[in-house]
Amino acid sequence: MTGADTAPAAAPRPAAPGRRRDRDEQGRARSARPRDGLGRPLPYGSEGVARQPEGVARTPEESLSEAQRLLDAGMPFHAHEVLEDAWKAAPETERELWRGLAQLAVGLTHAARGNATGGTALLDRGAAAIAPYAATAPYGIDIGGLTAWARELTDRLGGAPSGRGGAAVSAAGTAPRLRRS
């Protein structure tokens, strides 16, 4: 079963008057604000992009396929959510791999938002986290290709003005390939 086949989690409720944060049915903080394709919050009542449901159980192959589909669609924030679920469910020996993949997706998210500093930091962290898996390349993940992609993108971002106001990259046009072809 893929993430698209599962029912979404209960929708968050907007914060009650006097409450500071939106809460889900279990009382956990969850933003009910709609979001754009890069995960940026939009005003309440705006039409946003459907969010990825949290806590979806997927096989590693399903996680990689869904994350790649979202990356190719220019939605790295959503891909990060899929990879984060995989990270949380992974055996201890693979947690750094999935955390690193999620960080690469968030790095691309920041780069696509024009945040060169945040993008560079997360791309560097993600590449460092996945590098130890290069010899085994679990699930056909292209560790070498991903670390080279992250390095090239950070080099590109290094030429951008510092801070949040840098030139944004195209999320879909810059998306990496997670697996070897």
Side-chain angles (χ1 to χ4, degrees):
M1 190 183 294
T2 65
D5 298 328
T6 60
R13 299 180 313 241
R19 289 184 79 180
R20 295 179 45 175
R21 299 184 78 178
D22 302 336
R23 303 278 172 184
D24 67 11
E25 294 300 321
Q26 289 77 36
R28 292 184 302 249
R30 298 282 189 255
S31 177
R33 287 177 67 180
R35 299 204 176 243
D36 71 6
L38 292 174
R40 292 176 289 217
L42 299 169
Y44 286 105
S46 298
E47 188 172 328
V49 173
R51 297 181 73 173
Q52 285 297 118
E54 291 184 44
V56 175
R58 297 178 182 92
T59 66
E61 290 79 10
E62 290 170 333
S63 294
L64 290 166
S65 293
E66 180 65 4
Q68 188 68 65
R69 183 188 71 77
L70 292 163
L71 288 167
D72 292 345
M75 298 171 53
F77 179 81
H78 296 76
H80 141 265
E81 291 178 330
V82 169
L83 295 165
E84 187 174 83
D85 278 344
W87 160 26
K88 290 176 181 178
E92 188 64 37
T93 57
E94 293 181 8
R95 288 220 174 113
E96 284 300 299
L97 170 70
W98 294 102
R99 182 176 69 94
L101 293 172
Q103 288 173 324
L104 292 175
V106 173
L108 178 55
T109 300
H110 282 289
R113 291 177 179 175
N115 178 359
T117 302
T120 297
L122 283 155
L123 290 165
D124 287 344
R125 272 189 246 151
I130 68 170
Y133 297 89
T136 58
Y139 312 108
I141 297 171
D142 187 2
I143 304 294
L146 286 168
T147 55
W149 168 83
R151 188 172 45 255
E152 290 166 11
L153 184 51
T154 58
D155 288 348
R156 237 170 84 193
L157 295 173
S162 64
R164 297 182 144 287
V169 301
S170 163
T174 312
R177 303 307 310 157
L178 297 175
R179 293 186 194 172
R180 290 181 289 231
S181 302

